[in-house]
Amino acid sequence: MHGLKYSELDEVRKLGLTAHVCKDEDEWNSMTTVDFAKYKAIIVPDCMCNTSLNTIKFLDDTKRVWSPAVTGNMVIIGTDPSFHAKWFNLPGAFAMMRDAISLVATGDRGTGMYFSLSCYYQSTAKPMGIQALSEIGDFQVRGNLSHPCLNNAHLVASSAAMTALNDNIASNWNCSVHEAFSEYPRTGSSGFEALAIALNATGPGEQSFADGTSGIPYIIARGATPLGCGNNITESAYKEDCDEGEANGTPGSLCSSSCKCLYGVTAPGVCRPNVTSTSSSSQTPTSTRYTNSTLLGRVQYIDTSQHHIELSSGDYDAVAQQCYWELISFAVKHY
């Protein structure tokens, strides 16, 4: 691709991870659910503010295969960090990719996923479903948000895996937000949290948060800790199932670090016990855990020039000839 690499791959390597990049669609299509579950995370990068949904058609076509494997942390990003990193060298773009990849590659609940929506939905004025994610839940996004673009970003969740991104460097990208979420799964142990919002944005998807701010989420995550979670008060207004304070997410607790009940709710603030397990209630819902002890994999690139690819600026058409899908590969260890 004229020497250009998407920045997610660079951030993967900076984190000390090893990437396996599918060389073509045949390789991706040949993979089974078991194959996908062997990886620590699946990374679907920002293809330089790409606007053609054909670019991610492979995800939609195979969603019944890879979706069941994605049981770990997830981050879905409604902007184009690789574009802003490559062309404008913005610190916030690098930090966003690094933190999001770090989050999805951690945890003990199985394969995670990083998915940049790039600019696929930026011209969609009404909420539109992300069909590639329909096996995981109902995700609705919209673009055409404001002229000029929405530029005030605010983080409303955190994680120990995320140490670089903050409001200041996530804002003022000359278009910080391309797509915002009007709907997404928010309840249960597989529910998502708003990770970053377009501050003070109004319309479908607008929410209020525990720090008194409001806006529309443009980055959502599964596995992050929302503001207010951990204060030992179950706040249903913020979609909390439970809150056991410092005990959240610890062995023996039925309440996750995201204030979600691991096995369902029996009453407001009361989590259902893990009645299907013969061991303690601290067992996680998946039996396969991962270790960073051994790295596997190789790097390959995929030529998707057969797809129609359109960038937001004609100046960059010459370099928009390829896109890759990368998988972070770790050895699997069963406890």
Side-chain angles (χ1 to χ4, degrees), residues 183-201:
E183 187 66 43
Y184 56 92
R186 297 178 62 186
T187 59
S189 61
S190 296
F192 287 71
E193 308 294 341
L195 180 57
I197 63 172
L199 187 64
N200 298 324

Side-chain angles (χ1 to χ4, degrees), residues 228-234 240-261 269-272:
C229 176
N231 63 2
N232 214 27
I233 301 172
T234 301
E240 291 184 359
D241 293 340
C242 53
D243 195 330
E244 297 180 351
E246 294 182 358
N248 289 343
T250 61
S253 175
L254 297 173
C255 189
S256 75
S257 59
S258 299
C259 286
K260 306 295 186 186
C261 287
V270 181
C271 294
R272 186 185 307 278

Side-chain angles (χ1 to χ4, degrees), residues 71 272 325:
T71 57
R272 186 185 307 278
W325 308 308

